[in-house]
Amino acid sequence: MSSPSFQTTFDAFLPTLNQRAPKTAETYRLGLEAFKTFAQARGYWELPVSSLPVTLLAEFYRWLAEHYDNTFTVKTYMAAANAILRHLTRQQLLP
């Protein structure tokens, strides 16, 4: 069975944000939009989830630090990225 694309799994994850508090969900949506922009710029968006690099979060952190001055924003957006990767792990889509 082939691994779904990062885009497909990302889009499937978004509705799960509704289970969070409204302000948290909105902040995570903003963080995930940044993660999406990063993934598209790096060519990860269309990759199968199983082909995402193990350095993905470290790369995203560096990208955030280059694009955002506010440390709180960087930490919060990293939390959103961690949430989707935990979701992919629970779905057994990441190695």
Side-chain angles (χ1 to χ4, degrees):
M1 182 172 147
S2 67
S3 178
S5 72
F6 187 44
Q7 176 182 4
T8 299
T9 57
F10 186 96
D11 291 343
F13 175 73
L14 290 177
T16 70
L17 294 178
N18 295 330
Q19 300 167 7
R20 300 181 185 274
K23 286 187 179 190
T24 301
E26 181 56 31
T27 302
Y28 271 36
R29 279 188 186 86
L30 293 172
L32 290 172
E33 279 301 313
F35 198 29
K36 177 181 176 178
T37 299
F38 157 80
Q40 289 172 327
R42 295 287 172 98
Y44 299 150
W45 193 237
E46 297 295 331
L47 283 181
V49 171
S50 61
S51 296
L52 292 172
V54 296
T55 58
L56 183 67
L57 282 179
E59 290 178 42
F60 182 52
Y61 178 81
R62 284 190 297 277
W63 183 89
L64 286 172
E66 292 170 3
H67 290 83
Y68 295 91
D69 292 329
N70 186 313
T71 303
F72 181 76
T73 299
V74 171
K75 288 180 181 179
T76 305
Y77 287 8
M78 284 298 296
N82 274 305
I84 191 169
L85 294 180
R86 281 192 311 272
H87 172 77
L88 295 176
T89 300
R90 283 191 305 272
Q91 299 296 315
Q92 298 181 335
L93 295 172
L94 289 178

